[in-house]
Amino acid sequence: MSDEADLADALERRTEAWARVNGDISAMRSGLTERPIGQRLKDHVADRMIDTVDTAKAVARDNPLVIGGVIAALAGWFLRGPIIRTVQGWLGR
């Protein structure tokens, strides 16, 4: 008798679990119909990009001297040829 009760209980739990799985699948399908994966990815990337820009702004606001130094170093690197020629001209080489 307990075997039949255990079997009935297992069948009931299986039926409930199967209904839950089918419900999840239906919800997923309807969610994908409303917003396809491409749209979800686009929104996610846009959100991450906005967060990154906000973080960069905060870092730049907190460290203006570092940002100025980096800009000066980059300008010096890109203009190194004219700078070297000018300095050599001043030194008479």
Side-chain angles (χ1 to χ4, degrees), residues 78-91:
F78 286 117
L79 298 173
R80 69 186 178 276
I83 292 171
I84 290 171
R85 285 191 294 275
T86 303
V87 170
Q88 286 176 346
W90 289 342
L91 296 176

Side-chain angles (χ1 to χ4, degrees), residues 5-77:
D6 290 342
L7 186 59
D9 184 46
L11 180 62
E12 182 179 336
R13 284 185 284 147
R14 178 194 165 275
T15 305
E16 290 172 4
W18 190 246
R20 231 179 284 141
V21 167
N22 284 334
D24 289 346
I25 290 172
S26 296
M28 192 180 313
R29 284 184 180 156
S30 67
L32 288 174
T33 302
E34 292 172 13
R35 272 184 59 215
I37 291 176
Q39 181 66 38
R40 291 171 189 258
L41 285 173
K42 182 177 146 185
D43 293 345
H44 179 73
V45 167
D47 289 343
R48 294 290 299 249
M49 200 178 308
I50 289 169
D51 291 343
T52 302
V53 168
D54 290 343
T55 302
K57 284 181 183 178
V59 168
R61 197 175 304 118
D62 293 341
N63 302 298
L65 293 177
V66 173
I67 301 300
V70 168
I71 291 171
L74 286 172
W77 178 257

